């Protein structure tokens, strides 16, 4: 049985990032991933993810995001791949909504660049979009999107180049630790390491069930849609941005058209519960599509409401919708990142590094106390 410095369970967004940052510290790392490289069965696929800085959900996210942006930039430079597209982010909602009031406050508190868009500029600045009465629109200059599959693949390739061993199609059945070393079992093999990181996405509950205070995680099925466009109003090359609308029926968001022919639009709210992530329903249903079509009719009239394609993905929710990034309360050599609640990808860079530091040094220089597991029991 060969011994590693670190084993990571789950080679998706956070696992691949943690592997990369651990390898940069010279560690011998093994990643065990149950599916194939670049699979689309978890939570890190579907072309794009929104990134933004003026986070209103908790003030401690903003310093993490400042670091996340720096690390994405560094990764982009090191890899010479296009990972982050700084196209801006338009947000619309009532002035008292969390989205508008909260984003404004976060921008003020952190000195971030946020533009107020007067109504008379709507048509010029956001052609192809409509806005409901009594709503306001703001524009976050630092907003944009990440090319999600490229980000994961860049971390995997960068980690491999530094000697990380990825074993694809290796499902971990269980693990144990005595605080100094950890053992991990697949169906056929046993692996041993000084430290263990668990980043199992929608499957986290099973692998974290032995925790004294196991986190309450619920998995939700989400459908992403790509619709044809009837004009170049949504075109990235003509200056269209990411967008998010807080409406009375839910939160809807999307991305500029990258190829000029289709636009990706999704609902962030809603979604159906998933009992077993390995048996995820990958079909598109009328009930998934209907709210998005209503949104298009209200807000994006130049989109053809017949999706050319769709993709099903999963959110793993915590009760308060904040992430869990922590060390095992009994074993300091085991740490985990879970419950990213449908907004985690933009943090993959910094929190992958945090997880690597927690596993290797048992500490991090980032303020992540607000993400601790014991917040649910305090
Ligand atoms: C539709 C959708 C839209 C989103 N939009 C945004 C957005 O705009 N902005 C944003 O910041 N975030 C967004 N998110 C959230 C973000 O994508 C996720 O938080 C993030 O990708 C989660 O990464 P992960 O590493 O936890 O999960 P994953 O990438 O799914 O990785 C977990 C991996 O663990 C593996 N695994 C699990 N169990 C085992 C086992 N027993 N043995 C071996 N391997 C195992 C899985 O196969 C999987 O590959 C969105 C998510 C979805 C679904």
């Amino acid at each position: 049985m060969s011994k590693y410095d670190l084993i990571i369970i789950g080679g998706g967004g956070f696992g691949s990032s943690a592997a990369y940052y651990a390898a940069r510290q010279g560690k011998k790392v093994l990643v065990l991933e149950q599916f194939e490289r670049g699979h689309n069965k978890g939570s890190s696929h579907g072309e794009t993810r929104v990134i933004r800085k003026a986070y209103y959900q908790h003030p401690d996210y903003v310093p993490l995001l400042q670091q996340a942006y720096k690390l994405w930039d560094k990764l982009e430079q090191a890899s010479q791949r296009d990972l982050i597209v700084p196209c801006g982010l338009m947000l619309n909602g009532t002035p008292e909504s969390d989205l508008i009031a909260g984003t404004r406050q976060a921008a003020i508190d952190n000195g971030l660049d946020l533009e107020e868009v007067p109504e008379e500029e709507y048509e010029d600045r956001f052609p192809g979009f409509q806005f409901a009465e009594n709503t306001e629109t703001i524009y976050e200059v630092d907003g944009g999107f990440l090319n999600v599959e490229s980000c994961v693949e860049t971390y995997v390739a960068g980690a491999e180049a530094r000697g990380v061993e990825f074993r694809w199609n290796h499902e971990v059945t269980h693990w144990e630790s005595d605080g100094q070393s950890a053992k991990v079992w697949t169906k056929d093999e046993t692996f041993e390491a000084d430290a263990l990181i668990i980043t199992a996405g929608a499957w986290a509950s099973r692998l974290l069930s032995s925790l004294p205070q196991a986190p309450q995680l619920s998995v939700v099925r989400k459908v992403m849609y790509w619709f044809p466009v009837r004009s170049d109003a949504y075109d990235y090359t003509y200056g269209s941005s990411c967008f998010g609308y807080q409406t009375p029926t839910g939160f809807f968001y999307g991305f500029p058209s990258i190829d000029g022919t289709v636009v990706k639009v999704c609902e962030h709210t809603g979604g159906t519960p998933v009992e077993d992530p390995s048996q995820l329903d990958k079909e598109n249903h009328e009930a998934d599509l209907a709210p998005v079509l209503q949104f298009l009719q209200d807000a994006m009239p130049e989109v053809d409401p017949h999706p050319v394609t769709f993709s099903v993905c999963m959110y793993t929710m915590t009760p308060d919708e904040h992430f869990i990034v922590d060390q095992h309360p009994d074993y300091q050599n085991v740490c985990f990142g879970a419950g990213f609640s449908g907004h985690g990808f933009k943090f993959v860079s910094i929190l992958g590094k945090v997880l690597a530091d927690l596993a290797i040094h048992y500490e991090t220089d980032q303020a992540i106390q607000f993400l601790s597991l014991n917040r649910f029991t305090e």
Side-chain angles (χ1 to χ4, degrees):
M1 182 166 56
S2 45
K3 178 118 192 254
Y4 297 86
D5 295 320
L6 171 64
I7 294 175
I8 299 175
I9 305 176
F14 288 94
S16 60
S17 165
Y20 175 85
Y21 292 110
R24 286 179 65 96
Q25 299 187 47
K27 298 296 168 188
K28 186 178 176 198
V29 183
L30 169 69
V31 180
L32 295 167
E33 164 56 50
Q34 64 182 342
F35 297 131
E36 70 280 7
R37 185 175 188 148
H39 72 84
N40 65 355
K41 302 178 182 98
S43 303
S44 300
H45 61 275
E47 197 172 56
T48 46
R49 292 290 186 270
V50 173
I51 182 164
R52 60 195 171 89
K53 274 189 191 158
Y55 237 62
Y56 57 87
Q57 286 88 336
H58 191 289
D60 290 352
Y61 282 120
V62 180
L64 286 175
L65 280 164
Q66 308 272 22
Q67 296 305 315
Y69 268 78
K70 283 187 190 155
L71 292 181
W72 287 122
D73 284 344
K74 269 194 187 172
L75 186 68
E76 194 171 58
Q77 281 163 23
S79 64
Q80 296 293 302
R81 298 184 194 207
D82 286 336
L83 303 180
I84 183 164
V85 180
C87 60
L89 170 66
M90 173 261 276
L91 298 172
N92 174 263
T94 57
E96 65 280 2
S97 61
D98 283 351
L99 182 70
I100 300 299
T103 303
R104 278 183 176 139
Q105 195 57 51
I108 292 166
D109 292 346
N110 296 282
L112 301 173
D113 215 351
L114 189 74
E115 293 175 11
E116 298 292 333
V117 186
E119 219 175 310
E120 56 274 18
E121 289 183 15
Y122 284 0
E123 214 175 304
D124 262 4
R125 293 192 56 173
F126 309 115
F129 289 92
Q130 291 179 166
F131 303 93
E133 301 248 306
N134 304 318
T135 62
E136 293 181 359
T137 301
I138 52 183
Y139 181 81
E140 186 174 350
V141 180
D142 290 326
F145 65 84
L146 292 158
N147 290 312
V148 59
E149 282 94 351
S150 297
C151 291
V152 178
E153 176 53 30
T154 302
Y155 274 131
V156 171
E160 276 183 334
R162 289 166 177 81
V164 174
E165 200 180 315
F166 282 82
R167 302 251 185 134
W168 308 103
N169 302 303
H170 277 60
E171 181 187 358
V172 171
T173 53
H174 60 292
W175 61 270
E176 60 180 47
S177 171
D178 60 11
Q180 301 303 314
S181 74
K183 273 191 188 163
V184 175
W185 283 265
T186 62
K187 191 158 58 71
D188 304 314
E189 286 169 273
T190 308
F191 303 92
E192 195 173 350
D194 294 336
L196 174 65
I197 295 177
I198 302 169
T199 45
W203 291 262
S205 282
R206 194 163 60 79
L207 287 158
L208 298 177
S209 60
S210 63
L211 280 167
Q213 302 291 340
Q216 296 300 310
L217 302 174
S218 55
V219 179
V220 183
R221 178 179 156 281
K222 305 295 298 180
V223 188
M224 300 171 269
Y225 295 100
W226 285 260
F227 297 93
V229 292
R230 296 196 191 104
S231 80
D232 55 19
Y234 309 108
D235 207 312
Y236 165 66
T237 51
Y238 294 128
S240 197
S241 64
C242 293
F243 53 89
Y245 279 62
Q246 182 72 63
T247 79
T249 56
F251 184 85
F252 298 87
Y253 68 97
F255 302 81
S257 176
I258 297 166
D259 68 356
T261 70
V262 290
V263 67
K264 178 182 165 190
V265 185
C266 316
E267 181 182 6
H268 174 63
T269 38
T272 43
V274 175
E275 290 302 319
D276 177 357
S278 299
Q279 304 292 326
L280 177 66
D281 171 4
K282 297 279 241 175
E283 298 300 311
N284 170 38
H285 300 284
E286 192 52 41
D288 303 315
L289 182 59
V292 181
L293 292 188
Q294 184 59 55
F295 168 73
L296 292 180
Q297 190 177 322
D298 295 340
M300 300 178 71
E302 289 174 49
V303 172
D304 176 340
H306 302 92
V308 287
T309 188
F310 68 92
S311 181
V312 179
C313 191
M314 290 177 280
Y315 286 179
T316 306
M317 310 298 290
T318 62
D320 61 7
E321 300 188 13
H322 297 308
F323 318 146
I324 300 170
V325 178
D326 208 343
Q327 274 174 296
H328 195 291
D330 298 332
Y331 314 121
Q332 62 175 0
N333 67 333
V334 178
C335 60
F336 41 83
F340 290 99
S341 301
H343 60 115
F345 199 84
K346 58 184 82 60
F347 297 89
V348 153
S349 56
I350 182 61
L351 291 180
K353 184 167 186 302
V354 163
L355 284 163
D357 287 342
L358 285 178
I360 295 166
H361 307 292
Y362 306 152
E363 62 181 15
T364 169
D365 55 3
Q366 300 298 312
I368 57 158
Q369 292 76 9
F370 76 116
L371 305 177
S372 70
L373 179 61
N374 66 13
R375 73 180 184 270
F376 298 112
T377 47
E378 272 172 347

